[in-house]
Every structure is written in structure tokens, then in C-alpha cells.
CSV table of all heavy atoms in Angstrom, one decimal:
chain,number,residue,atom,x,y,z
A,141,ASN,N,-2.8,-5.2,-13.2
A,141,ASN,CA,-2.2,-3.9,-13.7
A,141,ASN,C,-3.1,-2.7,-13.3
A,141,ASN,O,-2.6,-1.7,-12.9
A,141,ASN,CB,-2.0,-3.9,-15.2
A,141,ASN,CG,-0.8,-4.8,-15.6
A,141,ASN,OD1,0.1,-5.1,-14.8
A,141,ASN,ND2,-0.9,-5.3,-16.8
A,142,TRP,N,-4.4,-2.9,-13.3
A,142,TRP,CA,-5.3,-1.9,-13.0
A,142,TRP,C,-5.2,-1.5,-11.5
A,142,TRP,O,-5.1,-0.3,-11.1
A,142,TRP,CB,-6.8,-2.3,-13.2
A,142,TRP,CG,-7.8,-1.3,-12.9
A,142,TRP,CD1,-8.3,-0.3,-13.7
A,142,TRP,CD2,-8.5,-1.1,-11.6
A,142,TRP,NE1,-9.2,0.4,-13.1
A,142,TRP,CE2,-9.3,0.0,-11.8
A,142,TRP,CE3,-8.4,-1.8,-10.4
A,142,TRP,CZ2,-10.1,0.4,-10.8
A,142,TRP,CZ3,-9.2,-1.3,-9.4
A,142,TRP,CH2,-10.1,-0.2,-9.5
A,143,GLN,N,-5.1,-2.5,-10.6
A,143,GLN,CA,-4.9,-2.3,-9.2
A,143,GLN,C,-3.6,-1.5,-8.9
A,143,GLN,O,-3.5,-0.6,-8.2
A,143,GLN,CB,-4.9,-3.6,-8.4
A,143,GLN,CG,-6.3,-4.2,-8.3
A,143,GLN,CD,-6.2,-5.6,-7.7
A,143,GLN,OE1,-5.4,-6.4,-7.9
A,143,GLN,NE2,-7.2,-5.8,-6.8
A,144,LYS,N,-2.5,-2.0,-9.6
A,144,LYS,CA,-1.2,-1.4,-9.4
A,144,LYS,C,-1.2,0.1,-9.9
A,144,LYS,O,-0.6,1.0,-9.2
A,144,LYS,CB,-0.1,-2.1,-10.1
A,144,LYS,CG,0.1,-3.6,-9.6
A,144,LYS,CD,1.0,-4.4,-10.4
A,144,LYS,CE,1.2,-5.8,-9.9
A,144,LYS,NZ,2.1,-6.6,-10.8
A,145,GLU,N,-1.8,0.4,-11.0
A,145,GLU,CA,-1.8,1.7,-11.5
A,145,GLU,C,-2.6,2.6,-10.6
A,145,GLU,O,-2.2,3.8,-10.4
A,145,GLU,CB,-2.4,1.7,-13.0
A,145,GLU,CG,-1.5,1.1,-14.0
A,145,GLU,CD,-2.2,1.0,-15.3
A,145,GLU,OE1,-3.4,1.4,-15.5
A,145,GLU,OE2,-1.6,0.4,-16.3
A,146,ASN,N,-3.7,2.2,-10.1
A,146,ASN,CA,-4.6,3.0,-9.2
A,146,ASN,C,-3.9,3.2,-7.9
A,146,ASN,O,-4.1,4.2,-7.2
A,146,ASN,CB,-6.0,2.4,-9.1
A,146,ASN,CG,-6.8,2.7,-10.3
A,146,ASN,OD1,-7.5,3.8,-10.4
A,146,ASN,ND2,-6.9,1.8,-11.3
A,147,LEU,N,-3.2,2.2,-7.4
A,147,LEU,CA,-2.5,2.3,-6.1
A,147,LEU,C,-1.4,3.4,-6.2
A,147,LEU,O,-1.3,4.2,-5.3
A,147,LEU,CB,-1.8,1.0,-5.7
A,147,LEU,CG,-1.0,1.0,-4.5
A,147,LEU,CD1,-1.8,1.4,-3.2
A,147,LEU,CD2,-0.3,-0.3,-4.2
A,148,LYS,N,-0.8,3.5,-7.4
A,148,LYS,CA,0.3,4.5,-7.6
A,148,LYS,C,-0.3,5.9,-7.7
A,148,LYS,O,0.4,6.9,-7.6
A,148,LYS,CB,1.1,4.1,-8.8
A,148,LYS,CG,2.1,3.0,-8.5
A,148,LYS,CD,3.0,2.7,-9.7
A,148,LYS,CE,4.1,1.7,-9.3
A,148,LYS,NZ,5.1,2.3,-8.4
A,149,LYS,N,-1.6,6.0,-7.9
A,149,LYS,CA,-2.2,7.3,-7.9
A,149,LYS,C,-2.3,7.8,-6.5
A,149,LYS,O,-2.4,9.0,-6.2
A,149,LYS,CB,-3.6,7.3,-8.5
A,149,LYS,CG,-3.5,7.0,-10.1
A,149,LYS,CD,-5.0,6.9,-10.6
A,149,LYS,CE,-4.9,6.6,-12.1
A,149,LYS,NZ,-6.3,6.5,-12.7
A,150,VAL,N,-2.4,6.9,-5.5
A,150,VAL,CA,-2.4,7.3,-4.1
A,150,VAL,C,-1.0,7.3,-3.5
A,150,VAL,O,-0.7,8.3,-2.8
A,150,VAL,CB,-3.3,6.3,-3.3
A,150,VAL,CG1,-3.4,6.8,-1.8
A,150,VAL,CG2,-4.7,6.2,-3.9
A,151,VAL,N,-0.2,6.3,-3.8
A,151,VAL,CA,1.2,6.3,-3.3
A,151,VAL,C,2.0,6.1,-4.6
A,151,VAL,O,2.3,5.0,-5.0
A,151,VAL,CB,1.4,5.1,-2.4
A,151,VAL,CG1,2.8,5.1,-1.8
A,151,VAL,CG2,0.3,5.1,-1.3
A,152,PRO,N,2.5,7.2,-5.2
A,152,PRO,CA,3.2,7.1,-6.4
A,152,PRO,C,4.4,6.2,-6.5
A,152,PRO,O,4.7,5.6,-7.5
A,152,PRO,CB,3.7,8.6,-6.7
A,152,PRO,CG,2.7,9.4,-5.9
A,152,PRO,CD,2.3,8.6,-4.7
A,153,ASP,N,5.1,6.1,-5.3
A,153,ASP,CA,6.3,5.2,-5.3
A,153,ASP,C,6.2,3.9,-4.6
A,153,ASP,O,7.1,3.4,-4.0
A,153,ASP,CB,7.5,6.0,-4.7
A,153,ASP,CG,7.9,7.2,-5.6
A,153,ASP,OD1,7.9,7.0,-6.8
A,153,ASP,OD2,8.2,8.3,-5.1
A,154,ALA,N,4.9,3.4,-4.5
A,154,ALA,CA,4.7,2.1,-3.9
A,154,ALA,C,5.5,1.1,-4.8
A,154,ALA,O,5.6,1.2,-6.0
A,154,ALA,CB,3.2,1.7,-3.9
A,155,PHE,N,6.0,0.1,-4.1
A,155,PHE,CA,6.9,-0.9,-4.8
A,155,PHE,C,6.6,-2.3,-4.4
A,155,PHE,O,6.0,-2.6,-3.3
A,155,PHE,CB,8.4,-0.6,-4.6
A,155,PHE,CG,8.8,-0.6,-3.2
A,155,PHE,CD1,9.2,-1.8,-2.5
A,155,PHE,CD2,8.8,0.6,-2.4
A,155,PHE,CE1,9.6,-1.8,-1.2
A,155,PHE,CE2,9.2,0.6,-1.1
A,155,PHE,CZ,9.5,-0.6,-0.5
A,156,HIS,N,7.1,-3.3,-5.2
A,156,HIS,CA,6.8,-4.7,-4.9
A,156,HIS,C,7.7,-5.1,-3.7
A,156,HIS,O,8.9,-4.7,-3.6
A,156,HIS,CB,7.1,-5.6,-6.1
A,156,HIS,CG,6.1,-5.5,-7.1
A,156,HIS,ND1,6.2,-4.7,-8.3
A,156,HIS,CD2,4.8,-6.0,-7.2
A,156,HIS,CE1,5.1,-4.8,-9.0
A,156,HIS,NE2,4.3,-5.6,-8.4
A,157,THR,N,7.2,-6.0,-2.9
A,157,THR,CA,8.0,-6.6,-1.8
A,157,THR,C,7.5,-8.0,-1.5
A,157,THR,O,6.3,-8.3,-1.9
A,157,THR,CB,7.9,-5.7,-0.5
A,157,THR,OG1,8.8,-6.2,0.5
A,157,THR,CG2,6.5,-5.7,0.0
A,158,TRP,N,8.3,-8.8,-1.0
A,158,TRP,CA,7.9,-10.2,-0.6
A,158,TRP,C,7.7,-10.3,0.9
A,158,TRP,O,8.5,-9.8,1.7
A,158,TRP,CB,9.0,-11.2,-1.0
A,158,TRP,CG,9.1,-11.4,-2.5
A,158,TRP,CD1,10.0,-10.8,-3.4
A,158,TRP,CD2,8.4,-12.3,-3.2
A,158,TRP,NE1,9.8,-11.2,-4.6
A,158,TRP,CE2,8.8,-12.2,-4.6
A,158,TRP,CE3,7.4,-13.3,-2.9
A,158,TRP,CZ2,8.2,-13.0,-5.6
A,158,TRP,CZ3,6.9,-14.0,-3.9
A,158,TRP,CH2,7.3,-13.9,-5.3
A,159,VAL,N,6.5,-10.8,1.2
A,159,VAL,CA,6.2,-11.2,2.6
A,159,VAL,C,6.0,-12.7,2.7
A,159,VAL,O,4.9,-13.2,2.2
A,159,VAL,CB,4.9,-10.4,3.1
A,159,VAL,CG1,4.6,-10.8,4.5
A,159,VAL,CG2,5.2,-8.9,3.0
A,160,GLY,N,7.0,-13.4,3.1
A,160,GLY,CA,6.9,-14.8,3.0
A,160,GLY,C,7.0,-15.2,1.6
A,160,GLY,O,7.9,-14.8,0.8
A,161,ASP,N,6.0,-16.0,1.1
A,161,ASP,CA,5.9,-16.4,-0.3
A,161,ASP,C,4.9,-15.5,-1.1
A,161,ASP,O,4.6,-15.8,-2.2
A,161,ASP,CB,5.6,-17.8,-0.4
A,161,ASP,CG,4.2,-18.2,0.2
A,161,ASP,OD1,3.6,-17.3,0.9
A,161,ASP,OD2,3.8,-19.3,0.1
A,162,ARG,N,4.5,-14.4,-0.5
A,162,ARG,CA,3.5,-13.5,-1.1
A,162,ARG,C,4.2,-12.3,-1.7
A,162,ARG,O,5.0,-11.7,-1.0
A,162,ARG,CB,2.4,-13.1,-0.1
A,162,ARG,CG,1.5,-14.2,0.4
A,162,ARG,CD,0.4,-13.6,1.2
A,162,ARG,NE,0.9,-12.9,2.4
A,162,ARG,CZ,0.2,-12.0,3.1
A,162,ARG,NH1,-1.0,-11.7,2.7
A,162,ARG,NH2,0.8,-11.5,4.2
A,163,ARG,N,3.9,-12.0,-2.9
A,163,ARG,CA,4.4,-10.8,-3.6
A,163,ARG,C,3.4,-9.7,-3.5
A,163,ARG,O,2.3,-9.7,-4.1
A,163,ARG,CB,4.8,-11.1,-5.0
A,163,ARG,CG,5.6,-9.9,-5.7
A,163,ARG,CD,6.2,-10.4,-7.0
A,163,ARG,NE,7.1,-9.5,-7.6
A,163,ARG,CZ,6.9,-8.7,-8.6
A,163,ARG,NH1,5.7,-8.7,-9.2
A,163,ARG,NH2,7.8,-7.8,-9.0
A,164,LEU,N,3.7,-8.7,-2.7
A,164,LEU,CA,2.7,-7.6,-2.4
A,164,LEU,C,3.3,-6.2,-2.8
A,164,LEU,O,4.5,-6.2,-3.3
A,164,LEU,CB,2.4,-7.6,-0.9
A,164,LEU,CG,1.9,-8.9,-0.3
A,164,LEU,CD1,1.7,-8.8,1.2
A,164,LEU,CD2,0.6,-9.3,-0.9
A,165,MET,N,2.5,-5.2,-2.7
A,165,MET,CA,3.0,-3.8,-2.9
A,165,MET,C,3.1,-3.1,-1.5
A,165,MET,O,2.2,-3.1,-0.8
A,165,MET,CB,2.0,-3.0,-3.8
A,165,MET,CG,1.8,-3.6,-5.2
A,165,MET,SD,3.3,-3.2,-6.2
A,165,MET,CE,3.0,-1.4,-6.5
A,166,GLN,N,4.3,-2.6,-1.3
A,166,GLN,CA,4.5,-1.8,0.0
A,166,GLN,C,4.2,-0.4,-0.2
A,166,GLN,O,4.7,0.3,-1.1
A,166,GLN,CB,5.9,-2.0,0.5
A,166,GLN,CG,6.2,-1.3,1.8
A,166,GLN,CD,7.5,-1.8,2.5
A,166,GLN,OE1,7.7,-3.0,2.5
A,166,GLN,NE2,8.2,-0.8,3.0
A,167,ALA,N,3.4,0.2,0.7
A,167,ALA,CA,3.0,1.6,0.6
A,167,ALA,C,3.7,2.5,1.6
A,167,ALA,O,3.7,3.7,1.5
A,167,ALA,CB,1.5,1.7,0.8
A,168,GLY,N,4.3,2.0,2.7
A,168,GLY,CA,4.9,2.8,3.7
A,168,GLY,C,5.4,2.0,4.9
A,168,GLY,O,5.0,0.9,5.1
A,169,ALA,N,6.3,2.6,5.6
A,169,ALA,CA,6.9,2.0,6.8
A,169,ALA,C,6.9,3.1,7.9
A,169,ALA,O,7.2,4.2,7.7
A,169,ALA,CB,8.2,1.4,6.6
A,170,PHE,N,6.6,2.7,9.2
A,170,PHE,CA,6.4,3.6,10.3
A,170,PHE,C,7.0,3.1,11.6
A,170,PHE,O,7.1,1.9,11.8
A,170,PHE,CB,4.9,4.0,10.5
A,170,PHE,CG,4.2,4.5,9.2
A,170,PHE,CD1,3.7,3.6,8.3
A,170,PHE,CD2,4.2,5.8,9.0
A,170,PHE,CE1,3.1,4.1,7.2
A,170,PHE,CE2,3.5,6.3,7.9
A,170,PHE,CZ,3.0,5.4,6.9
A,171,ALA,N,7.3,4.0,12.5
A,171,ALA,CA,7.7,3.6,13.8
A,171,ALA,C,6.5,3.5,14.7
A,171,ALA,O,6.5,2.8,15.7
A,171,ALA,CB,8.7,4.7,14.4
A,172,ASP,N,5.4,4.2,14.4
A,172,ASP,CA,4.2,4.2,15.2
A,172,ASP,C,3.0,3.5,14.5
A,172,ASP,O,2.7,3.8,13.4
A,172,ASP,CB,3.7,5.7,15.6
A,172,ASP,CG,4.8,6.4,16.4
A,172,ASP,OD1,5.1,6.0,17.5
A,172,ASP,OD2,5.3,7.4,15.9
A,173,GLU,N,2.4,2.6,15.2
A,173,GLU,CA,1.2,1.9,14.7
A,173,GLU,C,0.1,2.8,14.3
A,173,GLU,O,-0.6,2.6,13.3
A,173,GLU,CB,0.8,0.8,15.6
A,173,GLU,CG,-0.3,-0.1,15.0
A,173,GLU,CD,-0.7,-1.3,15.9
A,173,GLU,OE1,-0.2,-1.3,17.1
A,173,GLU,OE2,-1.5,-2.1,15.5
A,174,VAL,N,-0.1,3.8,15.1
A,174,VAL,CA,-1.2,4.8,14.8
A,174,VAL,C,-1.1,5.4,13.4
A,174,VAL,O,-2.0,5.5,12.7
A,174,VAL,CB,-1.3,5.9,15.9
A,174,VAL,CG1,-2.2,7.0,15.5
A,174,VAL,CG2,-1.7,5.3,17.2
A,175,GLU,N,0.2,5.8,13.1
A,175,GLU,CA,0.4,6.4,11.8
A,175,GLU,C,0.3,5.4,10.7
A,175,GLU,O,-0.2,5.7,9.6
A,175,GLU,CB,1.7,7.1,11.8
A,175,GLU,CG,1.7,8.3,12.8
A,175,GLU,CD,3.1,9.0,12.9
A,175,GLU,OE1,4.1,8.4,12.4
A,175,GLU,OE2,3.1,10.1,13.4
A,176,ALA,N,0.7,4.1,10.9
A,176,ALA,CA,0.5,3.1,9.9
A,176,ALA,C,-1.0,2.9,9.7
A,176,ALA,O,-1.4,2.7,8.5
A,176,ALA,CB,1.1,1.8,10.4
A,177,ARG,N,-1.8,2.9,10.7
A,177,ARG,CA,-3.3,2.7,10.6
A,177,ARG,C,-3.9,3.9,9.9
A,177,ARG,O,-4.9,3.8,9.2
A,177,ARG,CB,-3.9,2.5,11.9
A,177,ARG,CG,-3.6,1.1,12.5
A,177,ARG,CD,-4.4,0.7,13.7
A,177,ARG,NE,-4.1,-0.7,14.1
A,177,ARG,CZ,-4.7,-1.7,13.6
A,177,ARG,NH1,-5.6,-1.6,12.7
A,177,ARG,NH2,-4.3,-3.0,14.0
A,178,GLU,N,-3.3,5.1,10.0
A,178,GLU,CA,-3.8,6.3,9.3
A,178,GLU,C,-3.7,6.1,7.8
A,178,GLU,O,-4.6,6.4,7.0
A,178,GLU,CB,-3.1,7.5,9.8
A,178,GLU,CG,-3.7,8.8,9.3
A,178,GLU,CD,-3.0,10.0,9.8
A,178,GLU,OE1,-2.0,9.9,10.6
A,178,GLU,OE2,-3.4,11.2,9.5
A,179,LEU,N,-2.5,5.6,7.4
A,179,LEU,CA,-2.3,5.3,6.0
A,179,LEU,C,-3.2,4.2,5.5
A,179,LEU,O,-3.8,4.2,4.4
A,179,LEU,CB,-0.9,4.9,5.7
A,179,LEU,CG,-0.5,4.4,4.3
A,179,LEU,CD1,-0.9,5.5,3.2
A,179,LEU,CD2,0.9,4.0,4.2
A,180,GLN,N,-3.4,3.2,6.3
A,180,GLN,CA,-4.3,2.1,6.0
A,180,GLN,C,-5.8,2.6,5.8
A,180,GLN,O,-6.4,2.2,4.8
A,180,GLN,CB,-4.3,1.0,7.1
A,180,GLN,CG,-5.1,-0.2,6.8
A,180,GLN,CD,-5.1,-1.2,7.9
A,180,GLN,OE1,-5.2,-0.8,9.1
A,180,GLN,NE2,-4.9,-2.5,7.6
A,181,GLU,N,-6.2,3.6,6.6
A,181,GLU,CA,-7.5,4.1,6.4
A,181,GLU,C,-7.6,4.9,5.1
A,181,GLU,O,-8.6,4.9,4.4
A,181,GLU,CB,-7.9,5.0,7.6
A,181,GLU,CG,-9.1,5.9,7.4
A,181,GLU,CD,-10.4,5.0,7.2
A,181,GLU,OE1,-10.4,3.8,7.5
A,181,GLU,OE2,-11.4,5.6,6.8
A,182,ARG,N,-6.6,5.7,4.8
A,182,ARG,CA,-6.5,6.4,3.5
A,182,ARG,C,-6.7,5.4,2.3
A,182,ARG,O,-7.4,5.7,1.4
A,182,ARG,CB,-5.3,7.2,3.4
A,182,ARG,CG,-5.1,8.0,2.1
A,182,ARG,CD,-6.2,8.9,1.8
A,182,ARG,NE,-6.0,9.7,0.6
A,182,ARG,CZ,-7.0,10.4,0.0
A,182,ARG,NH1,-8.2,10.4,0.5
A,182,ARG,NH2,-6.7,11.0,-1.1
A,183,LEU,N,-6.0,4.3,2.4
A,183,LEU,CA,-6.0,3.3,1.3
A,183,LEU,C,-7.4,2.7,1.3
A,183,LEU,O,-7.9,2.4,0.2
A,183,LEU,CB,-5.0,2.3,1.6
A,183,LEU,CG,-3.5,2.7,1.4
A,183,LEU,CD1,-2.6,1.6,1.9
A,183,LEU,CD2,-3.2,3.1,0.0
A,184,ARG,N,-8.1,2.5,2.4
A,184,ARG,CA,-9.4,1.9,2.4
A,184,ARG,C,-10.4,2.9,1.7
A,184,ARG,O,-11.2,2.5,1.0
A,184,ARG,CB,-9.9,1.7,3.9
A,184,ARG,CG,-11.2,1.0,4.0
A,184,ARG,CD,-11.8,1.1,5.3
A,184,ARG,NE,-12.1,2.5,5.7
A,184,ARG,CZ,-13.2,3.1,5.2
A,184,ARG,NH1,-14.1,2.5,4.4
A,184,ARG,NH2,-13.4,4.4,5.6
A,185,GLU,N,-10.2,4.2,2.0
A,185,GLU,CA,-11.1,5.2,1.3
A,185,GLU,C,-10.9,5.2,-0.2
A,185,GLU,O,-11.8,5.5,-0.9
A,185,GLU,CB,-10.8,6.6,1.9
A,185,GLU,CG,-11.2,6.8,3.4
A,185,GLU,CD,-10.9,8.1,3.9
A,185,GLU,OE1,-10.1,8.9,3.2
A,185,GLU,OE2,-11.3,8.5,5.0
A,186,ALA,N,-9.7,4.8,-0.6
A,186,ALA,CA,-9.4,4.8,-2.1
A,186,ALA,C,-9.8,3.4,-2.7
A,186,ALA,O,-9.6,3.2,-3.9
A,186,ALA,CB,-7.9,5.0,-2.3
A,187,GLY,N,-10.3,2.5,-1.8
A,187,GLY,CA,-10.8,1.2,-2.4
A,187,GLY,C,-9.9,0.1,-2.3
A,187,GLY,O,-10.1,-1.0,-2.9
């Protein structure tokens, strides 16, 4: 719950999604890999 609450401080509307048999939180979807990696870096800075 702590991780989910803090993730929503960065991406307020992040939601649950299934990737195979893993239940993860989706933060965004993009047409360009560069922009996806930009969001990934922002999340890394947030821990």
C-alpha cells in the first residue's frame, strides 16, 4: 500500500494491469520509446 500510495503521488491515475501472470501498476503508454524512457527516468528519481 505504501508503494501504491507514493506511486500515485507521481502518477495520480496509475492503475493495476496484468502482464502475463504478474499484477503490476501501469504508469503510461507511448508511441515513442524515448518518451517511455523519459517517464521511466522520472520514476527512478522518485525511487
Side-chain angles (χ1 to χ4, degrees):
N141 290 334
W142 181 88
Q143 289 175 318
K144 295 174 183 178
E145 291 174 1
N146 281 276
L147 175 62
K148 284 182 174 289
K149 292 179 182 179
V150 184
V151 185
D153 292 323
F155 59 87
H156 286 101
T157 187
W158 286 94
V159 178
D161 59 354
R162 295 185 298 162
R163 192 166 187 256
L164 307 173
M165 295 285 287
Q166 181 166 317
F170 304 87
D172 297 299
E173 185 178 4
V174 170
E175 293 175 348
R177 289 190 176 275
E178 189 177 3
L179 174 57
Q180 185 180 44
E181 170 62 13
R182 176 57 178 168
L183 292 171
R184 187 195 65 77
E185 292 178 348

